[in-house]
Amino acid sequence: MTVLTAEEVEKRFGYTPEQLDKMEADATAGVFHGEPSGPVVYAPGYGPGRPLMFDEEMKQVGFKEPVNKILLIDIRAAQLGMKRSEYLRHLVDEDLKLAGIA
């Protein structure tokens, strides 16, 4: 996770710390600035968050790896134009195909 300093946030996004504090206070109070881009849609049975990717319920799968290996995974995923999660899903899908069970 990358943590930006206040100066980096202002340079990258054009917001001062004071503006961000005001936006946070407004959002906490239920006041949202800007124009809506469309309705908020939730997947059936789910609240806010990422929409379903597939037509069936999903569960999170996780495991720990050494930081060095994660770096290598991220490098390989980037070489293939993928995010880490896409790359790991791809590896699982390919292995299941090879095993003849998918």
Side-chain angles (χ1 to χ4, degrees), residues 46 50 52-54 56-64 84-85 88-89 92:
Y46 292 84
R50 183 176 185 177
L52 291 176
M53 293 176 57
F54 303 99
E56 61 184 277
E57 181 182 355
M58 295 177 63
K59 287 189 174 186
Q60 185 168 349
V61 177
F63 56 94
K64 293 182 180 184
R84 181 191 304 162
S85 57
L88 294 173
R89 283 188 196 100
V92 170

Side-chain angles (χ1 to χ4, degrees), residues 29 31 38 51 54 58-59 62 65 77-78 80 83-84 86-87 92:
V31 177
F54 303 99
M58 295 177 63
K59 287 189 174 186
E65 288 288 352
L80 297 172
K83 294 179 182 177
R84 181 191 304 162
E86 293 171 322
Y87 175 61
V92 170

Side-chain angles (χ1 to χ4, degrees), residues 2-69:
T2 302
V3 178
L4 301 176
T5 66
E7 292 81 20
E8 291 170 325
V9 169
E10 187 171 356
K11 182 178 178 184
R12 187 181 289 185
F13 301 106
Y15 291 107
T16 66
E18 294 78 18
Q19 289 172 307
L20 292 173
D21 289 342
K22 172 81 169 105
M23 291 166 68
E24 179 184 19
D26 287 350
T28 301
V31 177
F32 301 99
H33 301 278
E35 295 298 317
S37 60
V40 176
V41 179
Y42 300 122
Y46 292 84
R50 183 176 185 177
L52 291 176
M53 293 176 57
F54 303 99
D55 292 336
E56 61 184 277
E57 181 182 355
M58 295 177 63
K59 287 189 174 186
Q60 185 168 349
V61 177
F63 56 94
K64 293 182 180 184
E65 288 288 352
V67 173
N68 244 4
K69 190 180 284 187

